[in-house]
């Protein structure tokens, strides 16, 4: 090839590099964001600013795509599905209480606090969650005292941190629910439903080559509805009661559309929904009460294995408000297989008052760990 031909090719190569500055060969999310940036209008202010300094080094470019991606929005949906167990646990606990719940009507209240962490899967970054809240309700016996039925309500606040994405979310949850249970000889049946309303506030710190540092935020709403049931069979072994059980729960989550503000890299998100089914096999264990001074105490524990199916890896459709095509982004998936451990003590402080302390721990696939503590009080009236 002659010198003239080479000189002719050089401007063409430069023009191609200028027209296609965003390439990625990393994770699926990084590739999706790169393609969305590439689709921005040629004269878009966001595209012009980014392409002037966008790094050619794949590692540096990948980190930039991660910061621009908006993963925190996907993380919220996953975490709220995994946190749906709080309402189920409260309802099942009321229908399984080992002390002071055999008769009459009860007012109850509890305070919860917990921490969870889910590690990166190579596509989405790790997420840590702290949560604290209160829940309460009332239940009573009906149908010749053979069924216990009740209502519950609660509020909690969850804080999510996706440190590797420089993103946080604050989620305010309000929960309403109802539950019922009965027993036939050794068999027990418990079921209920709950609705959780989410108020989601997100904040992302975006600082990438070509853009001045900016804080992008928005707030929007969503909800998670669920129905659940448990069938158990009670047995005695010495002074210990054993109850193998099967739990089923079906969830539907809906998250509303949103629009971020605060900088040129702001995103718009479409509404989305997810349907997830949980099945849990396990055993409840309750020891006969013992005396601690003048207080009767019941000790209880449980082990279980929970499996999730359905939309455990639902995609979220996002787009840059500056233009271009939308892209599908995936956050951490709902942990498919989880081991569950719970333990607690019930203190009968008076004939009509029981105070309880409980621990719930979970560990599962996708390096998921969750630990929660609950203090509860129940008063018969």
């Amino acid at each position: 090839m002659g010198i003239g031909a080479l000189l002719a090719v050089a401007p063409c190569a430069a023009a191609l590099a200028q027209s296609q500055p965003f390439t990625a060969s990393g994770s699926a999310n990084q590739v999706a964001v790169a393609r969305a940036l590439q689709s921005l209008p040629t004269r878009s202010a966001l595209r012009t600013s980014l392409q002037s300094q966008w790094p050619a080094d794949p590692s540096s470019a990948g980190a930039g795509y991660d910061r621009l991606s908006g993963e925190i929005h996907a993380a919220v949906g996953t975490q709220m599905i995994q946190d749906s167990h709080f309402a189920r646990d409260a309802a099942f606990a009321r229908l399984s209480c080992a002390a002071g719940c055999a008769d009459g009507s009860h007012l109850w209240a509890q305070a919860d606090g917990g921490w969870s962490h889910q590690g990166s899967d190579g596509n989405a970054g790790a997420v840590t969650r702290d949560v604290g809240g209160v829940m309460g309700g009332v239940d009573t016996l009906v149908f010749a005292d053979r069924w216990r039925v009740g209502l519950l309500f609660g509020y909690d606040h969850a804080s999510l941190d996706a440190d590797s994405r420089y993103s946080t979310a604050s989620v305010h949850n309000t929960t309403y629910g109802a539950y019922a249970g009965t027993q036939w000889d050794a068999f027990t049946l418990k079921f209920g439903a709950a609705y959780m309303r989410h108020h989601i506030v997100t904040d992302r710190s975006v600082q990438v080559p070509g853009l001045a540092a900016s804080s992008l935020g928005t707030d929007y709403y969503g909800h998670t509805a669920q129905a659940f049931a448990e069938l158990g069979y009670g047995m005695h072994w010495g002074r210990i009661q054993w109850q193998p059980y099967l739990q089923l729960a079906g969830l539907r989550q809906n998250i509303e559309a949103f629009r971020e503000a605060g900088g040129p890299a702001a995103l718009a998100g479409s509404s989305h929904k997810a349907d997830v089914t949980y099945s849990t096999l396990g055993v409840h264990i309750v020891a006969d009460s013992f005396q601690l001074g003048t207080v009767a105490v019941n000790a209880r524990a449980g082990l279980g294995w929970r499996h999730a199916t359905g939309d455990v890896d639902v995609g979220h459709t996002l787009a840059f408000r500056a233009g271009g095509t939308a892209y599908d982004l995936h956050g951490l998936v709902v942990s498919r297989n989880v081991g569950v451990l719970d333990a607690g003590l019930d203190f009968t402080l008076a004939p009509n008052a029981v105070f309880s302390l409980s621990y719930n721990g979970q560990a599962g696939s996708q390096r998921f760990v969750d630990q929660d503590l609950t203090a509860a009080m129940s008063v018969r009236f």
Side-chain angles (χ1 to χ4, degrees):
M1 182 180 295
I3 294 177
L6 289 173
L7 292 176
V9 169
C12 294
L16 182 61
Q18 181 74 5
S19 64
Q20 296 183 339
F22 306 108
T23 59
S25 58
S27 70
N29 283 350
Q30 292 173 359
V31 171
V33 175
R35 289 175 177 170
L37 291 174
Q38 193 63 54
S39 72
L40 289 169
T42 304
R43 296 184 180 180
S44 161
L46 175 59
R47 179 179 179 132
T48 301
S49 297
L50 289 174
Q51 72 182 17
S52 65
Q53 299 182 40
W54 198 251
D57 172 59
S59 177
S60 299
Y65 296 135
D66 285 336
R67 289 197 184 186
L68 292 168
S69 67
E71 268 184 34
I72 190 66
H73 299 291
V76 169
T78 296
Q79 190 64 58
M80 292 305 98
I81 289 174
Q82 295 185 146
D83 282 352
S84 65
H85 74 88
F86 285 112
R88 296 195 301 274
D89 292 348
F92 287 139
R94 287 303 308 160
L95 296 170
S96 305
C97 56
C101 302
D103 56 8
S105 302
H106 296 256
L107 284 171
W108 60 273
Q110 66 182 45
D112 304 283
W115 170 90
S116 74
H117 176 82
Q118 191 164 352
S120 172
D121 60 3
N123 183 40
V127 175
T128 299
R129 184 272 286 145
D130 295 300
V131 65
V134 294
M135 192 171 292
V138 59
D139 50 54
T140 189
L141 293 171
V142 297
F143 303 129
D145 292 346
R146 298 192 62 181
W147 286 80
R148 180 165 293 278
V149 298
L151 300 173
L152 64 83
F153 59 91
Y155 168 83
D156 66 76
H157 172 253
S159 298
L160 282 69
D161 289 304
D163 291 339
S164 65
R165 306 303 188 249
Y166 297 84
S167 303
T168 62
S170 178
V171 188
H172 303 266
N173 299 306
T174 306
T175 302
Y176 309 91
Y179 54 92
T182 189
Q183 181 170 348
W184 299 283
D185 298 324
F187 286 97
T188 59
L189 174 64
K190 309 161 192 172
F191 58 89
Y195 174 89
M196 180 184 290
R197 178 71 166 167
H198 315 298
H199 178 203
I200 304 160
V201 181
T202 64
D203 182 74
R204 300 191 296 127
S205 177
V206 176
Q207 185 173 8
V208 295
L211 289 182
S214 60
S215 179
L216 307 179
T218 186
D219 70 294
Y220 51 104
Y221 293 87
H223 67 263
T224 301
Q226 61 176 311
F228 46 86
E230 177 184 301
L231 180 64
Y233 183 83
M235 301 178 291
H236 282 80
W237 184 20
R239 296 171 57 86
I240 298 177
Q241 302 175 45
W242 301 77
Q243 187 186 64
Y245 68 86
L246 169 65
Q247 283 181 13
L248 296 174
L251 290 76
R252 166 160 288 189
Q253 181 184 82
N254 286 272
I255 302 294
E256 297 176 358
F258 65 85
R259 292 169 67 85
E260 290 182 331
L267 297 169
S270 302
S271 61
H272 77 273
K273 69 175 184 175
D275 294 298
V276 175
T277 300
Y278 282 120
S279 55
T280 307
L281 283 171
V283 59
H284 301 304
I285 306 167
V286 180
D288 283 355
S289 63
F290 61 92
Q291 291 295 125
L292 188 63
T294 59
V295 177
V297 181
N298 280 78
R300 50 189 164 75
L303 289 171
W305 173 76
R306 188 175 68 215
H307 180 65
T309 58
D311 298 326
V312 296
D313 187 18
V314 62
H316 297 247
T317 303
L318 307 177
F320 290 101
R321 292 186 61 183
T325 60
Y327 61 96
D328 289 331
L329 179 131
H330 292 263
L332 293 172
V333 304
V334 174
S335 190
R336 292 181 175 86
N337 296 289
V338 175
V340 182
L341 167 69
D342 61 83
L345 296 171
D346 302 316
F347 303 87
T348 304
L349 304 181
N352 64 341
V354 177
F355 175 73
S356 302
L357 290 173
S358 304
Y359 166 82
N360 179 277
Q362 304 176 47
S365 54
Q366 290 81 53
R367 292 188 287 167
F368 171 70
V369 177
D370 187 318
Q371 299 188 82
D372 306 292
L373 292 173
T374 301
M377 189 75 185
S378 173
V379 177
R380 185 173 69 241
F381 64 91

